[in-house]
Every structure is written in C-alpha cells, then in structure tokens.
C-alpha cells in the first residue's frame, strides 16, 4: 500500500514539474494518466520494495555526497590519463568479492562502480563482480573496499 | 547578470565543455573498446553535470526550468551506467577480448 | 560564453562521429552513438538558453529518454540476431 502511495506521489511530482500549467483540464488529465500508470505498474507487478526502496537508510544522502566526490576525483584522474596518452594506462580486469547480502545493495554497489569513470562492472555472478579498470591503481583503490563498506552500511536495517 | 555570477557560470560551462572534449579525445585515442568506455563515461557524469550546473545558474530563479535541469541530470546519471553496463556485458559475451597490461600495442 | 560552450560540444560531437565511422567493432559504434546522444541532449539545453527559450528542455528530456531506449533496443536486437545465427551455424 505505501509503495503505491509513494509511486503516486513521485508520478504527481513529475507531472506537476514538467507541465507548468495548472488549469483544471490539464490537472485532471494528469490525474487520469497517473491512475493509468499505477494500474499498469500493478499489472506488471513492479510496485514493490525494489522500485520504491524504503528499506534503505536515510544516510544514503551522505553516501551520494561521498559518491559525488569520488566521481569528481576519478574524472580528473581519467582526464589526466587521456591527455598523457595510451602509454600511461594499464587496463586490468579482476573478479572481486562483494559483502552485500541483498540484491538492492549489490545493484547500488555495481552501479556506483560503473558510475565512477575508470572502473566498470562487466558481469555479476552471485557474490562476485567482474570489474574492468583503466589503470591498476584504480583497481587497487577499489580493492581497499571503502565503497563496499559504505554500501553495506546502507542496507543494514 | 552581475559580475560574480557571470564568472561562476562561465567557469562551470567552460570546464564542462573541456571535460566533454577530453572524453571525445579519449574515445579517439584509447586502444580498445573497454578503455574507450571509461573515456565516454567522462561525458556522462562530470561533463554533463558541470554544463547542466552552468545552465542552472543561467536559469535565473525560474523554478520549473531548474527542476527540469535537475531532472535531466538525474536521468543521465541513472541511465548512463545502465547503458554502459549493458554495452560492456554484451561485448564480453560476444567474445570481444580486452587488451590487458601496461603495454598496449 | 554559451556560444563557446556550444562550439566545444559540436567539435566533440564531430570526434564522436569519427569514432562511429571508424569502428572497428560494432560495440565501438554503439558507444560512440550513445555518447553522441548525450551530447545532443546538452546541445539542445544550451541552444534553449542561447535563444532565451528554456522550453527546449522538454525536448532535451525526451531526447535523453529516446537515446537510452534506443541503445538498449539495438543491443537486444543484435544479441538476438547473434544467437540466431550461431544456432543456424551449428
């Protein structure tokens, strides 16, 4: 039930922000669209804790800020390697162990790895990720496991 | 626009444009598909982020415009890694071998 | 200043096109096209601010959506056709 309510809230926000017209005709059209989308989502069986993740801790905001900082740093490092040329990189690929127990935690971790330039999650197989990295240093940095630890903290509830 | 905001907007726009240009150069310069992928994610994350932040400063307190810019940025952040992961997984499964090691030929 | 940014984005779009034509593999081309699409989104947003019509942002949002869907669709299509051809070979 609360998943449905949160879905309606999200859809209504998107409609109001994107339309910019507040006449009764357009608002009622929006209402009809929201009901239709909620009906379709229920039929597709996607209204659950995967699309509306309440179980995550509110500290995910701090994780996002930390992730933004990581993205900034790795952007600068990848840009440096681009201008230094192909001889400065050492592409490497490795399987890494992950400590998350839920699917949501794994998805957040894999997505964060891919989002930071310099590392890409190539394949996910149960408890291991196959990661491709631009240089060996970035891979070592990932193996230190700070990101892993932070994501695992998020999913404990 | 006042001097300070003009300078700030210029800094965001120009550095974003520089990062996007760097990403494009990297895609041309790097030796194989997997390394090019890293260069292209430069465009997806910080390049678009900086340019959209610059636009946010240009928006001049029109809330709807700002909300749309934030929405575009969140959307790019969400779809970028998904598309990249799908692409790299398809490439690996089709048998495209990555060049590894410090000495790319 | 907006015009300078637009010129830089256009130049990088040109570089992405070069990679799309050079290949060599099919995935390099898809990667270049995906990057081209992301840059188009930014270009549309910047053009909107240059001409003083921020309504262009709606088009940019839709373009980002179409870009993502098309990349996924192309990958699905080629995955499927690869599998079919490998079945026929065996």
């Amino acid at each position: 039930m609360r998943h449905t309510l949160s879905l309606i809230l999200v859809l209504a926000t998107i409609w109001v922000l994107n339309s910019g017209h507040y006449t009764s005709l357009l608002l009622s059209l929006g209402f009809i669209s929201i009901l239709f989308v909620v009906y379709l989502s229920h039929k597709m069986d996607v209204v659950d804790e995967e699309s509306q993740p309440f179980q995550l801790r509110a500290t995910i905001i701090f994780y996002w800020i930390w992730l933004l900082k990581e993205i900034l740093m790795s952007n600068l490092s990848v840009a440096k390697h681009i201008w230094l040329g192909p001889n400065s990189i050492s592409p490497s690929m490795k399987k890494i162990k992950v400590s998350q127990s839920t699917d949501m935690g794994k998805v957040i971790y894999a997505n964060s790895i891919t989002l930071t330039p310099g590392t890409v999650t190539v394949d996910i197989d149960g408890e291991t990720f196959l990661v491709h990295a631009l240089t060996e240093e970035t891979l070592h940095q990932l193996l230190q496991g700070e990101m892993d630890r932070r994501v695992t903290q998020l999913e404990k509830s | 626009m006042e001097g300070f905001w003009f300078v700030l907007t210029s800094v965001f726009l120009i550095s974003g444009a520089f990062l996007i240009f760097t990403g494009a150069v990297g895609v041309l310069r790097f030796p194989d598909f997997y390394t090019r992928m890293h260069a292209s994610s430069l465009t997806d994350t910080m390049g678009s982020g900086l340019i959209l932040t610059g636009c946010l400063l240009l928006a001049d307190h029109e809330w709807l415009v700002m909300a749309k810019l934030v929405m575009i940025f969140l959307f790019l952040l969400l779809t970028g890694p998904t598309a990249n992961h799908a692409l790299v997984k398809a490439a690996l499964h089709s048998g495209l071998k990555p060049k590894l090691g410090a000495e790319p030929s | 200043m907006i015009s300078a940014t637009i010129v830089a984005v256009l130049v990088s779009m040109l570089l992405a096109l070069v990679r799309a034509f050079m290949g060599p593999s099919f995935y390099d081309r898809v990667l270049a096209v995906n990057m081209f699409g992301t840059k188009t989104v930014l270009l549309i947003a910047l053009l909107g601010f240059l001409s003083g019509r921020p309504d262009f942002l709606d088009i940019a949002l839709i373009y980002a959506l179409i870009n993502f869907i098309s990349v996924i669709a192309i990958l699905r299509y080629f995955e499927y056709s690869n599998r079919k051809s490998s079945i026929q070979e065996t």
Side-chain angles (χ1 to χ4, degrees):
Chain A
M1 192 60 216
R2 54 192 193 130
H3 295 132
T4 312
L5 281 179
S6 127
L7 180 64
I8 289 175
L9 199 69
V10 169
L11 289 173
T13 315
I14 291 177
W15 179 281
V16 168
L17 285 181
N18 270 324
S19 126
H21 292 274
Y22 305 113
T23 58
S24 54
L25 172 70
L26 281 169
L27 284 182
S28 51
L29 281 179
F31 184 67
I32 294 169
S33 317
I34 290 172
L35 284 188
F36 184 60
V37 172
V38 169
Y39 166 71
L40 280 185
S41 318
H42 266 288
K43 226 177 158 186
M44 287 164 73
D45 202 18
V46 292
V47 189
D48 48 16
E49 73 279 355
E50 275 187 7
S51 64
Q52 314 287 328
F54 289 128
Q55 76 274 25
L56 291 174
R57 285 185 174 180
T59 49
I60 194 163
I61 292 169
F62 299 110
Y63 176 69
W64 285 338
I65 294 170
W66 181 80
L67 189 64
L68 270 184
K69 193 203 84 198
E70 284 296 294
I71 290 173
L72 185 71
M73 304 298 279
S74 50
N75 261 292
L76 294 179
S77 133
V78 171
K80 192 187 80 191
H81 282 292
I82 287 174
W83 290 114
L84 283 177
N87 286 325
S88 70
I89 59 172
S90 49
S92 40
M93 207 145 144
K94 200 169 178 178
K95 282 191 169 151
I96 61 166
K97 278 262 179 215
V98 296
S99 62
Q100 285 80 35
S101 52
T102 58
D103 281 350
M104 177 63 73
K106 281 177 197 160
V107 167
I108 292 175
Y109 188 32
N111 240 349
S112 309
I113 291 176
T114 312
L115 195 56
T116 33
T119 45
V120 168
T121 316
V122 182
D123 213 344
I124 301 174
D125 181 26
E127 302 288 304
T128 51
F129 291 175
L130 184 60
V131 175
H132 184 277
L134 188 61
T135 62
E136 275 165 14
E137 294 93 81
T138 44
L139 196 63
H140 278 302
Q141 224 166 17
L142 192 68
L143 286 172
Q144 305 276 314
E146 190 180 359
M147 191 186 268
D148 190 23
R149 193 174 50 75
R150 281 175 187 265
V151 177
T152 309
Q153 271 178 358
L154 284 178
E155 67 174 1
K156 275 177 195 157
S157 54
Chain B
M1 204 187 280
E2 299 153 47
F4 171 70
W5 290 110
F6 182 80
V7 170
L8 196 66
T9 314
S10 308
V11 166
F12 273 116
L13 284 180
I14 299 298
S15 53
F18 178 72
L19 265 182
I20 283 186
F21 180 69
T22 308
V25 169
V27 166
L28 274 185
R29 230 179 149 182
F30 277 165
D32 78 326
F33 166 73
Y34 295 91
T35 43
R36 280 174 205 141
M37 165 90 63
H38 298 301
S40 105
S41 69
L42 219 64
T43 311
D44 281 344
T45 55
M46 221 62 215
S48 52
L50 285 173
I51 284 195
L52 290 176
T53 314
C55 289
L56 204 68
L57 295 173
L58 282 175
D60 213 19
H61 298 291
E62 286 183 56
W63 296 111
L64 281 180
V65 174
M66 292 168 96
K68 271 175 201 165
L69 282 168
V70 172
M71 220 182 279
I72 292 177
F73 180 54
L74 288 183
F75 196 79
L76 284 180
L77 271 193
L78 204 68
T79 57
T82 316
N84 270 359
H85 172 70
L87 198 56
V88 79
K89 193 177 172 185
L92 190 82
H93 284 211
S94 79
L96 190 69
K97 292 265 179 299
K99 284 178 189 160
L100 299 177
E103 208 64 47
S105 51
Chain C
M1 150 199 69
I2 302 179
S3 345
T5 317
I6 286 178
V7 170
V9 172
L10 280 174
V11 169
S12 0
M13 280 167 95
L14 205 68
L15 295 181
L17 267 190
V18 171
R19 176 48 77 194
F21 279 115
M22 269 166 54
S25 75
F26 159 73
Y27 298 100
D28 286 299
R29 294 177 210 268
V30 179
L31 180 72
V33 168
N34 184 20
M35 205 167 122
F36 189 83
T38 311
K39 282 168 193 160
T40 312
V41 172
L42 297 176
L43 183 72
I44 294 173
L46 284 168
L47 279 177
F49 279 102
L50 185 72
S51 58
R53 289 164 63 195
D55 310 336
F56 273 41
L57 288 178
D58 294 333
I59 307 172
L61 198 60
I62 298 299
Y63 201 95
L65 196 71
I66 292 174
N67 184 35
F68 174 62
I69 303 274
S70 60
V71 167
I72 298 294
I74 289 172
L75 285 175
R76 291 295 291 180
Y77 174 72
F78 273 88
E79 208 179 4
Y80 178 68
S81 59
N82 277 345
R83 198 173 293 154
K84 208 168 72 178
S85 63
S86 66
I87 289 171
Q88 279 168 353
E89 278 164 19
T90 51

